[in-house]
Amino acid sequence: MTKHDIRIRRNKLSSRKIQSFKDYKGLMQAHRKKRKAKTLRATLVMLLLLMFTLLLFYFRSTSF
Amino acid sequence: MKKPFHLDEQQILIEQEWVRSAQSDSRHFSRLYDRYFEGIFNFLYRRSGIEEVAADLTSQTFLKALQNLHKYKYKGVPFSAWLFRIAANEVNAYYRKRQKRLVFSLEESMLYEILEVYDEDYFGEEDINQMVLFLKELPAEDVEVLELRFFEEKGFKEIAYILEVSESGVKMRVYRALKKLRRFFNKKDKKEG
């Protein structure tokens, strides 16, 4: 059983206050940054695989 | 007690259209962001009790939603249920990482709504403290279900989807919690009487 605390608030947060935390521009920027990093990672993995394949072919061709 | 919030068929169709549009171009995500920001924020504020933490977790939730939007498939519950599922996972990860005690920060006025299920006219302000004691005694998993049912006004199907449990399991937890609540206040009545 997980332990927990219960706190009671008298008031709800106002809609205006909540809206002040909104940052759609920041969200899109973070999304683009993450997407770029993902693409970069995928490209690096592809390059490494390609290099590994080429090396494998090279050693196989020189060993005979 | 207010009826749980449900979208009608037409609203679900419109919402699904918005989702499809955002899936093909993430710039169209703003409509979903605007519509659900406040609901997700309130949920995370109730689960953390700190505005800044709620804001941070809300950002994380929407970022995760954007990144995984291509995986989203309609499963008979509103899109918001998918967002709430991400938010619930985010807040659980937050507590796990920090090894902190779970917090439920609840509005007093909403607590009366749970009490109304028991008896409409009986409860006064002093009973809130008793209610807090009762909620502290309940397992956190049951408080989580009650919170989604009475504070977020979610239907059983949606709660089941959010918590990744069966619908009958959710019904059982709510039923069990309300039964305990009844027993708790009956015991209190006997002591006072």
Side-chain angles (χ1 to χ4, degrees), chain A residues 37-53:
Chain A
K38 202 176 160 186
T39 315
L40 196 70
R41 257 198 322 269
T43 315
L44 277 173
V45 170
M46 288 290 283
L47 273 173
L48 278 171
L49 277 172
L50 192 71
M51 276 172 68
F52 181 72
T53 319

Side-chain angles (χ1 to χ4, degrees), chain B residues 78 94 119:
Chain B
Y94 167 82
D119 188 333

Side-chain angles (χ1 to χ4, degrees), chain A residues 1-33:
Chain A
M1 197 169 78
T2 327
K3 284 180 181 173
H4 61 281
D5 275 336
I6 304 287
R7 292 180 197 160
I8 301 298
R9 280 185 278 136
R10 287 234 171 235
N11 300 312
K12 261 182 149 181
L13 268 187
S14 71
S15 182
R16 210 167 143 192
K17 175 87 185 170
I18 297 172
Q19 293 294 325
S20 72
F21 289 110
K22 255 171 134 177
D23 181 16
Y24 186 68
K25 219 172 158 183
L27 174 76
M28 291 312 276
Q29 271 169 359
H31 175 56
R32 274 195 289 271
K33 210 171 149 186

Side-chain angles (χ1 to χ4, degrees), chain B residues 85-150:
Chain B
R85 186 195 266 198
I86 300 173
N89 288 334
E90 282 299 305
V91 80
N92 288 337
Y94 167 82
Y95 282 113
R96 230 184 357 257
K97 243 188 233 170
R98 284 157 188 81
Q99 295 181 325
K100 272 183 161 184
R101 222 177 149 95
L102 287 175
V103 171
F104 291 91
S105 174
L106 309 170
E107 295 98 315
E108 194 182 55
S109 58
M110 300 290 271
L111 275 175
Y112 282 110
E113 292 203 4
I114 303 181
L115 292 171
E116 278 172 17
V117 171
Y118 176 65
D119 188 333
E120 261 180 51
D121 312 311
Y122 184 77
F123 290 93
E125 214 172 303
E126 71 276 7
D127 290 299
I128 292 294
N129 293 334
Q130 290 297 320
M131 185 70 180
V132 171
L133 281 179
F134 166 74
L135 289 173
K136 273 185 182 170
E137 277 180 22
L138 273 186
E141 294 77 13
D142 288 359
V143 181
E144 197 176 27
V145 169
L146 286 181
E147 195 258 320
L148 282 166
R149 179 77 182 146
F150 295 100

